[in-house]
Amino acid sequence: MIQMWVVHQRLAELWLIKKKRSLTKDEQTEFVQCLDANANRAWKLARLENQYLLASMTQDKEWHHHISSELNKLS
């Protein structure tokens, strides 16, 4: 089963609330925190995917295995 990351769930909730009414100050803070967490995760995933490609191209099996492990942790 594919599980949605909890930050994405909360971000979706806040987005739906925002479509109906203005967010409270606390909700706005949480919304920005979720966006920051999402951006950080996206950049980490992009970095790991690039390293995965480099490990494949250089045939570095140990590095490739390590990167695969890190990518699995993000899943």
Side-chain angles (χ1 to χ4, degrees), residues 1-68:
M1 173 167 69
I2 297 175
Q3 209 171 24
M4 185 183 288
W5 189 34
V6 69
V7 171
H8 291 150
Q9 287 177 319
R10 185 58 179 152
L11 190 57
E13 290 170 359
L14 291 166
W15 178 255
L16 291 174
I17 292 168
K18 188 175 179 176
K19 290 177 85 171
K20 293 182 180 182
R21 64 164 171 80
S22 296
L23 297 177
T24 65
K25 185 177 180 179
D26 287 343
E27 288 170 336
Q28 184 63 38
T29 298
E30 189 176 2
F31 187 70
V32 170
Q33 289 171 340
C34 287
L35 289 173
D36 284 343
N38 184 65
N40 287 332
R41 183 182 172 102
W43 279 111
K44 183 174 184 178
L45 182 58
R47 179 180 51 81
L48 287 171
E49 287 173 343
N50 285 331
Q51 289 177 349
Y52 184 88
L53 178 60
L54 284 171
S56 294
M57 292 171 71
T58 60
Q59 299 179 358
D60 187 329
K61 294 181 191 294
E62 185 178 328
W63 190 27
H64 192 266
H65 178 71
H66 175 72
I67 298 303
S68 294

